Each structure stands twice: as C-alpha cells, then as structure tokens.
C-alpha cells in the first residue's frame, strides 16, 4: 500500500511538472514587447509552478524515496526565476528583476545542480548542461542588476565548470560554452569600468540637482508628453555582448531605469545572505513560502530591501538582439499602435551604415594628431576601416532619393537590400511623438527626417560619424562600444576614455570632485533650458521627464567636449540634434564652455583641448 501511494505521488508530481512546463513554454514564446494583456498567462503559469512547489514540499520524503533528485527541485526554482526575468524584460518593473535574482541566488547557495551537494560521486552530463544554463541565466540577471561582485564570482565558477566539463566529458562538445565564457569575461572587462563610482541607472543622489528643482517644478510647456516606451537595438560585427545583450543596449537600458534603493550604496559582499535572513531548511532546502503572493516568495525580505515603492515605474523597453529590418519595423509598429495618448516613444538604433563598407582612408584621431595615418578614428562597425558618407541634401531641397541614399546595416555582411534600414523607413512612425537616437557612421543621413514628419515633429539625436580619442592605439575600438552611447549613458567615464585616463589614474575623491563639476554644470543647464524662451516645443514637451532631460544634458556636454577636442569643429566628429537647442547651451556658449574647461583643468587634460579665451 505504501509503495502504491508513493507511485501515485510520483506520477502526480511528474504530471504536474509536464503541465507546468507546457504552460511555461507558451509564456516563454510570447513577445517581449507591446502592451497586449499577457498578465493572465503569467499568473496562470506562475500558479502552476507554485502548486508544483507546494506539492513537492508536502510530499518530499515520498518523492525522495521514489528517486527525486536535487537538480529536479533546482529546475523548478530556476523556471520560476526565468518567469520573473521574462516578466521584467516585458515590463521593466524592477521588482521582477529583484525576485529573479533572489531565486537564482538561492539555487546557487543550496547547490541544487552540484553533484557534490547531492552526495553523488558523479554528475550526469544532462544535469551538467542544466547547471551551465543556470549559471548563464544567473550571470545575465546579475549583470543587468549591476551586482558586479556576484558577476565576477559567477564568471569564475562558470569558467571552472566549463573547464571541468571539457575534462570529464570528453565525448561531448562544449565549444559553445567556451565561447559563452569568453563573452562574459570580455563583457566584464569593458562593461564594469568605473561601475564602482556610480550606477548607469537614474540615481536621485547624483542625477537630481537641488538648485534646478524649483525651475523644473515651475516649468510648463504648451504640450507635455510622457515617456513610457522605448525600443533599443544594436547590430555591429564583433560587438561586445553577453547572450543577447550587447554592450551598447546594456548601457542604454540601464540608463533608462531608476536605481533601486539599497542595491548600489548598501551593496552586500558576496556571501550567504541567508546567514542574515535565515529560512526554513530541510533535506533539500526550502526556498519558497506558500503565501501565493507574487512578491516575497522567498522569505528573506531581500526584495523589500532592494526596491523602493516611491519610485515611478520604469519605461517599458523592447530590447532586440540583431533584428532583421522587417522584425524591427514590425516591433516599432506594434509599440506605436499601442502607445497611449500623449506619450512619446524612444527609439535607439546603434548600427554600422553603408559608409562602413567604403575603403576610403581618413585622417587620425584628434588633438593635433589628425595628420598621423597611424592613429585612424574608427566608428560604427568596431574594428573595421570606415569613412563617412557625404550629406545627400545640402541645398535645403530634398529629393525622394534623399530618404533612401544612406542606411543602417542590420545584417551580417553585404550591401543594401533587405538588411538596409533607410531614413525613409522611419517616416511612417512620425505620426506619433518620437525621440530618436541614431548612433552610426551614417547617422547624419537621418537629418532628412527633420521636417518630413507625418504628424508629430521628432526629436533627433544623431551621433558623430567618427569617434575621437587622444591615443587611438591605446583604445581597442572593437571592444569599447560606441563612444556616443557611452557619453549619453556615462559622460564622465566617456570623457576619461577619450582623453586616455583610466580609473587607476586618480583616487576616488579626485574622481568624485570631477563628478561634482559635471553635476553643477548640468544643474545650470537645466535652469537655462527651463527659462529659455527659444526652446523648441519638441524639447519643451519632454523636458519634464527625468530620463529624456538627462539625455539632452549629456548630449550638450558631449557636443561641447568634442567641439573643443576636435580641431576646426569638423562635422564628422560632432553630434547633431534636431530641432536645434537654444544658442545659450550651444557647444561654444560661455556657460557650457566654462564647465568643460573646469572639468578638463581639474583632470589635468586641458592641453588636449583648444578652448576659446576662457
């Protein structure tokens, strides 16, 4: 009778696993963009896994007697973590990212996939693959959550696991996993530079300026639009990436989120958080309570410590990895169609252009070294020879071909055709308010969109056609990501990279003083923008939004820095904004120039610039 009862429990458990897995597959295949109602799907699969988890806890001894393995428990917990992460990617709600992190850390702590933790002498190769997938997923969550110490720990363990697998499972090919290891270490090398200084996310401590708050509070435009949706994508050969997250999109998606309280300044060391927050534990470790609440599944109160209910919601972000042109346009159309009234959509496109396929040689970097053929400036498709495309509309009169002369290249290689995204392809979407950021060596071709909109004037931030560095030979342009995106997401590190400074060149106090110079400047520029009578409505209607305002301020900084860094203000080294911002914050206006001069002087790199009489 007892054996029959155990068999029934085991059969019921495995039937519940299959049912939950089927529901999970349907949720996993749902698109990660758009505002279509998908919550009921999420709730359905979530309840299925909660019932499964509760059932295995209530019948743990019978299931263990029937052959239940620890990795099977870990697989359930891992699926719940995946659910949370997928929901974060759909909604950009920080609480889902926190919950995913907590689940994955619990799995790591309890060593569910580790054969040594189960007492078995050898792990099955199938379980090893599950363990590798768990590490890869946890690494992605920790990376997005900016848990730098945990990322380093996971990367080292992941590398050791892959090496061990290649030694002990010689008949199995682990080449792809070796590439994943190389990806994460390459990403860490570039993506975590200066990360201990301040977060990329919007942090009230750094990005909210007390002196300008009264002006922002009083600011009012004839029309105000809210920022609720963003589409982010990059497509470059040899670009730094991990999984389906490229360095450029990582920086931009971080830049468009609020910094959860506690996660940066109350960062815990990589140790067992469960020593501080004890939980119930039995043979296989209990990770989840049975309250059924979506938040607080792991009874350690960590989610409460790392989220701030007073923060506004993050804008939704559709992050596309190397999309085809047709998919990009389809997603763009879906988001525009579902865009609520009086809202604006941000579109960020980072890709090489048709100019990238030219073999014309260009002069060197900057700072008086332009004539050196050795130091060539590289942009767009990192690591390839490139040149800029000439403007196709110089006389103010546009031909229809102007919209289809130059393009962004969304493909592995080749010219034109189905992989080319033309400026004219964007025009239909200008029926709704757009905040468009183009980072490419063909970005200036998109100037034709200004004045060609079909309903709403678009805000355009267009990158330089070439990046500029003091010493290009010291910068691996195939690994450092886009310079323009770096300026928009981390202006001081981008400035330091440009002039050849590293985080080891100065102590924290010295670096923090530089941040203070920049913060004071941004505060002054906010006041100027808020009080300017000549501010175009396109900019005025988004100035109240903290994310978009911060991008505008950083653009002003980037444009001025490059203006003084690059002799003769060569347009191919300068970014462009359309409509134009007021002259009071132009690249060489007194208030902007003085801030750049103070920063360069403080960092002892003023000799890299050609300032006017200051």
């Amino acid at each position: 009778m007892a054996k029959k009862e155990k068999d029934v429990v085991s059969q019921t458990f495995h039937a519940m696993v299959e049912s939950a897995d089927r529901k999970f597959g349907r949720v996993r295949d749902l698109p990660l963009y758009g505002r279509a109602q998908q919550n009921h799907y999420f709730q359905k699969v979530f309840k299925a896994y909660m019932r499964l988890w509760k059932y295995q806890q209530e019948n743990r001894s019978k299931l263990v007697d029937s052959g239940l393995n620890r990795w099977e428990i870990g697989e359930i917990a891992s699926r719940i973590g995946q659910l949370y992460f997928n929901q974060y990617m759909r909604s950009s709600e920080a609480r889902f990212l926190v919950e995913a992190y907590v689940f994955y850390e619990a799995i790591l702590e309890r060593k569910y996939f580790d054969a040594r933790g189960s007492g078995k002498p050898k792990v099955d190769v199938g379980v090893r693959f599950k363990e590798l997938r768990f590490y890869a997923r946890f690494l992605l969550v920790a990376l997005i959550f900016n848990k730098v110490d945990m990322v380093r720990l996971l990367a080292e363990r992941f590398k050791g696991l892959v090496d061990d697998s290649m030694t002990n499972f010689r008949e199995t090919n682990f080449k792809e996993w070796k590439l994943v290891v190389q990806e994460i270490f390459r990403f860490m090398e570039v993506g975590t530079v200066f990360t201990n200084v301040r977060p990329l996310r919007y942090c009230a401590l750094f990005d909210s300026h007390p002196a300008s708050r009264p002006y922002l509070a009083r600011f009012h435009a004839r029309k105000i639009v809210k920022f609720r949706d963003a589409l982010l994508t990059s497509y470059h050969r040899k670009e730094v990436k991990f999984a389906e997250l490229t360095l450029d999109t990582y920086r931009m998606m971080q830049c468009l989120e609020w910094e959860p309280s506690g996660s940066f300044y109350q960062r815990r060391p990589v140790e067992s958080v469960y020593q501080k927050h004890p939980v119930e534990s039995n043979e296989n470790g209990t990770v989840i309570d049975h309250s059924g609440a979506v938040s607080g599944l792991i009874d350690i109160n960590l989610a409460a410590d790392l989220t701030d209910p007073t923060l506004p919601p993050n804008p939704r972000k559709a992050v596309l990895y190397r999309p085809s042109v047709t998919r990009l346009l389809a997603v763009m159309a879906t988001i525009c169609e579902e865009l609520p009234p009086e809202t604006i959509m941000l579109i960020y496109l980072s890709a090489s252009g048709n100019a990238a396929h030219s073999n014309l040689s260009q002069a060197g970097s900057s700072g008086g070294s332009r004539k050196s053929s050795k130091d060539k400036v590289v942009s767009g498709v990192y690591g390839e020879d490139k040149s800029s495309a000439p403007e196709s509309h110089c006389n103010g009169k546009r031909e229809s071909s102007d919209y289809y002369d130059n393009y962004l290249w969304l493909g592995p290689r080749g010219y034109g055709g189905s992989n080319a995204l033309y400026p004219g392809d964007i025009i239909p979407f200008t029926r709704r308010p757009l905040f468009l950021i183009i980072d490419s060596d063909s970005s200036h071709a998109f100037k034709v969109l200004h004045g060609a909109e079909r309903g709403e004037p678009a805000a355009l931030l267009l990158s330089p056609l070439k990046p500029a560095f003091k010493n290009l030979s010291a910068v691996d342009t195939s690994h450092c990501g886009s310079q323009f995106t770096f300026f928009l997401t981390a202006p001081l590190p981008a400035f330091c990279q440009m002039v050849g400074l590293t985080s080891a060149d100065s102590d924290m106090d010295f670096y923090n003083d530089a941040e203070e110079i920049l913060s004071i400047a941004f505060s002054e520029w906010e006041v100027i923008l808020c009080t300017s009578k000549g501010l175009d409505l396109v900019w005025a209607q988004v100035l109240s939004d903290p994310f978009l305002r911060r991008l505008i301020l950083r653009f002003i900084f980037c444009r001025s820095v490059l203006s003084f860094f690059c002799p003769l203000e060569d347009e191919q080294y300068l970014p462009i904004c359309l409509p134009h911002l007021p002259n009071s914050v132009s690249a060489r206006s007194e208030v902007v120039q003085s801030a750049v001069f103070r920063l360069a002087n403080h960092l002892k790199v003023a000799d890299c610039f050609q300032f006017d009489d200051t």
Side-chain angles (χ1 to χ4, degrees), residues 18-30:
E18 291 179 7
S19 175
D21 285 352
R22 284 195 300 271
K23 291 182 174 67
F24 177 86
R26 288 194 289 269
V27 171
R28 180 184 54 200
D29 295 336
L30 290 173

Side-chain angles (χ1 to χ4, degrees), residues 254-266:
Q254 293 261 306
C255 180
L256 300 178
E257 292 196 351
W258 297 95
E259 175 67 15
S261 64
S263 65
F264 187 75
Y265 292 101
Q266 299 174 17

Side-chain angles (χ1 to χ4, degrees), residues 563-608:
S563 172
F564 295 112
F565 189 69
C566 301
L568 305 178
E569 290 191 82
D570 190 337
E571 186 179 278
Q572 65 182 346
Y573 292 95
L574 298 180
I576 293 174
C577 71
L578 292 170
H580 295 298
L581 288 165
N583 289 333
S584 52
V585 290
S586 67
R588 291 180 175 263
S589 64
E590 182 179 350
V591 67
V592 176
Q593 179 182 179
S594 62
V596 176
F597 177 79
R598 287 195 304 272
L599 180 62
N601 211 35
H602 174 75
L603 294 175
K604 299 179 175 56
V605 292
D607 60 323
C608 296

Side-chain angles (χ1 to χ4, degrees), residues 233-442:
T233 190
S234 67
Y235 201 136
H236 295 283
R237 290 184 61 198
K238 302 179 182 178
E239 63 188 332
V240 174
K241 73 178 190 71
F242 179 66
E244 295 189 349
L245 186 66
T246 69
L247 181 60
D248 285 343
T249 53
Y250 166 78
R251 286 171 171 167
M252 189 56 68
M253 74 180 290
Q254 293 261 306
C255 180
L256 300 178
E257 292 196 351
W258 297 95
E259 175 67 15
S261 64
S263 65
F264 187 75
Y265 292 101
Q266 299 174 17
R267 184 182 294 152
R268 291 179 173 84
V270 181
E271 59 184 29
S272 172
V273 296
Y274 309 97
Q275 294 173 2
K276 301 178 181 179
H277 303 276
V279 295
E280 176 189 353
S281 180
N282 57 22
E283 179 185 357
N284 286 311
T286 299
V287 181
I288 302 176
D289 67 17
H290 311 299
S291 63
V294 172
S295 181
L297 284 171
I298 299 179
D299 189 20
I300 60 176
N301 297 321
L302 184 58
D305 292 343
L306 297 182
T307 54
D308 186 347
T310 65
L311 287 177
N314 292 321
R316 292 171 179 260
K317 295 176 291 296
V319 182
L320 303 183
Y321 175 69
R322 297 196 167 189
S324 64
V325 171
T326 51
R327 180 165 183 249
L328 177 66
L329 295 177
V331 174
M332 210 179 296
T334 299
I335 297 175
C336 280
E337 176 67 21
E338 299 177 350
L339 206 62
E342 302 301 316
T343 57
I344 191 169
M345 175 184 177
L346 183 147
I347 299 176
Y348 166 79
L349 304 175
S350 175
S352 59
N354 57 327
H357 303 288
S358 170
N359 291 321
L360 296 177
S361 62
Q362 297 292 331
S365 60
S366 59
S369 60
R370 290 259 179 127
K371 295 180 180 179
S372 169
S373 60
K374 180 180 179 181
D375 291 336
K376 290 188 177 180
V377 178
V378 183
S379 68
V381 175
Y382 318 129
E384 297 181 22
D385 290 335
K386 298 165 208 54
S387 67
S388 61
E391 276 192 59
S392 61
H393 57 287
C394 300
N395 300 320
K397 201 170 186 181
R398 294 180 185 137
E399 302 292 338
S400 60
S401 62
D402 291 342
Y403 303 118
Y404 299 97
D405 281 342
N406 298 301
Y407 51 82
L408 303 185
W409 182 252
L410 303 182
R413 60 183 71 250
Y415 303 88
S418 61
N419 290 327
L421 178 72
Y422 297 94
D425 295 331
I426 306 295
I427 292 177
F429 304 103
T430 59
R431 291 174 170 84
R432 304 300 302 271
L434 293 185
F435 194 104
L436 190 62
I437 301 174
I438 304 292
D439 193 345
S440 173
D441 53 359
S442 285

Side-chain angles (χ1 to χ4, degrees), residues 8-302:
V8 171
V9 168
S10 179
Q11 292 170 5
T12 302
F13 172 76
H14 287 98
M16 292 176 70
V17 169
E18 291 179 7
S19 175
D21 285 352
R22 284 195 300 271
K23 291 182 174 67
F24 177 86
R26 288 194 289 269
V27 171
R28 180 184 54 200
D29 295 336
L30 290 173
L32 297 177
Y33 55 86
R35 291 179 172 272
Q37 293 298 320
Q38 300 174 351
N39 284 340
H40 65 288
Y41 291 111
F42 172 75
Q43 293 169 1
K44 198 171 182 180
V45 67
F46 185 82
K47 287 180 180 178
Y49 275 101
M50 289 311 302
R51 286 194 297 267
L52 174 60
W53 188 269
K54 185 176 181 179
Y55 186 82
Q56 65 87 17
Q57 283 193 314
E58 291 174 344
N59 298 275
R60 178 71 58 82
S61 59
K62 296 174 183 176
L63 289 169
V64 170
D65 290 342
S66 299
L68 180 69
N69 295 295
R70 284 181 61 82
W71 66 261
E72 294 180 88
I73 302 171
E75 186 81 347
I76 298 171
S78 180
R79 283 291 174 89
I80 296 173
Q82 283 180 260
L83 281 173
Y84 275 127
F85 181 67
N86 288 347
Q87 195 68 359
Y88 160 75
M89 292 299 290
R90 290 188 180 93
S91 67
S92 295
E93 290 187 41
R95 64 190 178 101
F96 292 124
L97 181 64
V98 173
E99 296 283 12
Y101 181 88
V102 170
F103 265 91
Y104 283 132
E105 190 173 35
I107 296 168
L108 180 74
E109 183 70 19
R110 286 164 174 75
K111 301 180 180 179
Y112 281 128
F113 293 105
D114 192 338
R116 291 167 294 183
S118 64
K120 294 184 178 180
K122 186 177 180 181
V123 66
D124 180 77
V125 66
V127 178
R128 175 54 58 86
F129 277 119
K130 293 178 184 294
E131 186 174 12
L132 290 170
R133 285 193 291 270
F134 157 72
Y135 270 96
R137 289 167 182 153
F138 192 10
L139 271 165
L140 185 59
V141 170
L143 196 64
I144 294 175
F145 200 21
N146 197 33
K147 291 290 187 178
V148 179
D149 293 337
M150 178 59 80
V151 170
R152 292 194 183 106
L153 175 69
L154 291 172
E156 291 295 339
R157 291 191 182 182
F158 184 50
K159 181 179 182 300
L161 199 64
V162 171
D163 292 341
D164 178 78
S165 299
M166 296 178 73
T167 300
N168 294 313
F169 300 100
R170 296 184 180 277
E171 70 282 0
T172 306
N173 188 354
F174 288 90
K175 183 179 179 180
E176 289 187 0
W177 289 107
K178 194 71 175 177
L179 293 176
V180 176
V181 170
Q182 293 171 2
E183 276 188 3
I184 187 59
F185 277 95
R186 187 181 175 203
F187 199 106
M188 287 167 52
E189 182 182 356
V190 181
T192 59
V193 175
F194 293 99
T195 52
N196 288 324
V197 178
R198 57 168 297 175
L200 294 176
R201 290 187 173 93
Y202 193 102
C203 181
L205 183 63
F206 290 118
D207 299 304
S208 180
H209 312 296
S212 58
R213 283 177 196 164
Y215 296 90
L216 288 169
R218 293 195 298 266
F219 178 79
H220 182 71
R222 294 198 316 271
K223 179 181 180 182
I224 298 293
V225 293
K226 297 178 180 179
F227 175 37
R228 292 291 182 268
D229 288 87
L231 188 156
L232 316 175
T233 190
S234 67
Y235 201 136
H236 295 283
R237 290 184 61 198
K238 302 179 182 178
E239 63 188 332
V240 174
K241 73 178 190 71
F242 179 66
E244 295 189 349
L245 186 66
T246 69
L247 181 60
D248 285 343
T249 53
Y250 166 78
R251 286 171 171 167
M252 189 56 68
M253 74 180 290
Q254 293 261 306
C255 180
L256 300 178
E257 292 196 351
W258 297 95
E259 175 67 15
S261 64
S263 65
F264 187 75
Y265 292 101
Q266 299 174 17
R267 184 182 294 152
R268 291 179 173 84
V270 181
E271 59 184 29
S272 172
V273 296
Y274 309 97
Q275 294 173 2
K276 301 178 181 179
H277 303 276
V279 295
E280 176 189 353
S281 180
N282 57 22
E283 179 185 357
N284 286 311
T286 299
V287 181
I288 302 176
D289 67 17
H290 311 299
S291 63
V294 172
S295 181
L297 284 171
I298 299 179
D299 189 20
I300 60 176
N301 297 321
L302 184 58

